[in-house]
């Protein structure tokens, strides 16, 4: 019982670092309006240092790339593994999906046919731990 409480509090701590201020993240997604994948990628890359610093050392790097209809966002961490990512998604998966839906909606408003969002969570060697795929 005590072990479960410790694991739960550790998961909450990781989630708080990974998505430091989920309300700000949701507010930012609400304000995107209409934007192409390349415009969103540029904005994410401009804010890479902020994202890393807010993660309190959990995220080593954050990089966004785009094609005409797809945005790929890669978050690299030396502190994540399959278990912590699974726990993180249990704790914050709904928030991530809400933001993803808003990003996809933004791309649709910009005239992107069949927009896609891919989030790759990788270790510090570039090995993919988990991929989250969203499409509109």
């Amino acid at each position: 019982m005590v072990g479960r409480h410790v694991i739960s509090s550790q998961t909450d701590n990781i989630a708080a670092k990974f998505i430091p201020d989920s309300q700000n993240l949701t507010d930012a997604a609400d304000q995107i309006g209409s934007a192409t994948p390349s415009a969103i990628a540029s904005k994410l890359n401009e804010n890479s240092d902020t994202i890393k610093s807010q993660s309190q050392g959990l995220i080593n790097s954050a990089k966004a790339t785009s094609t005409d209809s797809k945005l790929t966002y890669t978050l690299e961490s030396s502190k994540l593994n399959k278990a912590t990512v699974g726990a993180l998604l249990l704790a914050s998966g709904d928030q991530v999906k809400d933001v993803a839906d808003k990003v996809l909606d933004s791309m649709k408003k910009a005239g992107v046919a069949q927009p896609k969002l891919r989030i790759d969570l990788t270790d510090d060697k570039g090995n993919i731990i988990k991929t989250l795929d969203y499409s509109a």
Side-chain angles (χ1 to χ4, degrees):
M1 190 77 154
V2 171
R4 286 183 185 174
H5 176 71
V6 169
I7 290 169
S8 175
S9 68
Q10 288 295 330
T11 300
D12 291 345
N13 188 31
I14 290 169
K17 289 178 182 176
F18 193 73
I19 303 177
D21 192 338
S22 60
Q23 188 58 48
N24 282 346
L25 188 60
T26 302
D27 290 347
D30 283 338
Q31 295 171 10
I32 291 175
S34 170
T36 63
S38 64
I40 296 169
S42 293
K43 194 65 170 168
L44 287 170
N45 289 332
E46 285 174 19
N47 293 311
S48 176
D49 289 339
T50 302
I51 292 164
K52 289 188 300 187
S53 69
Q54 286 182 347
S55 77
Q56 300 174 14
L58 185 63
I59 296 173
N60 298 7
S61 73
K63 181 172 180 168
T65 58
S66 65
T67 64
D68 289 341
S69 63
K70 184 177 180 180
L71 173 66
T72 301
Y73 195 41
T74 303
L75 299 167
E76 178 188 293
S77 174
S78 59
K79 297 181 180 164
L80 290 180
N81 59 41
K82 288 185 183 203
T84 55
V85 167
L88 173 68
L89 291 174
L90 279 174
S92 302
D94 290 344
Q95 293 171 340
V96 173
K97 177 146 179 24
D98 287 346
V99 171
D101 288 343
K102 290 173 183 176
V103 169
L104 291 168
D105 188 53
S106 172
M107 289 191 273
K108 281 182 10 184
K109 287 177 183 175
V112 175
Q114 300 178 322
K116 295 177 177 80
L117 170 64
R118 176 181 209 144
I119 302 171
D120 287 329
L121 303 170
T122 69
D123 63 19
D124 57 344
K125 294 174 181 70
N127 299 314
I128 294 177
I129 299 169
K130 179 77 174 172
T131 295
L132 305 171
D133 284 309
Y134 302 94
S135 59

